[in-house]
Amino acid sequence: MNQNPTGDSPVLPKTGLRILVDIRMSNGVHVSQKNLSYEDLKNLIGKLEGLC
């Protein structure tokens, strides 16, 4: 992945990349999200960090 000049976040190619996240924890919690963009993934991670 290339870095943009400002170094804020990686520059992704314009290929329509979509991301699937599936997290299963030993306490039975299951988080599943599909068809995420990079921005959606960043938002999901921010929400998950708030739970910690």
Side-chain angles (χ1 to χ4, degrees), residues 18-46:
R18 304 310 283 180
I19 302 164
L20 175 121
V21 174
D22 191 56
I23 302 169
R24 295 174 190 259
M25 297 180 229
S26 59
N27 65 359
V29 174
H30 179 209
V31 177
S32 181
Q33 294 284 303
K34 61 182 178 178
N35 204 28
L36 296 172
S37 67
Y38 181 71
E39 281 299 316
D40 295 333
L41 177 61
K42 287 185 355 182
N43 290 333
L44 176 63
I45 291 169

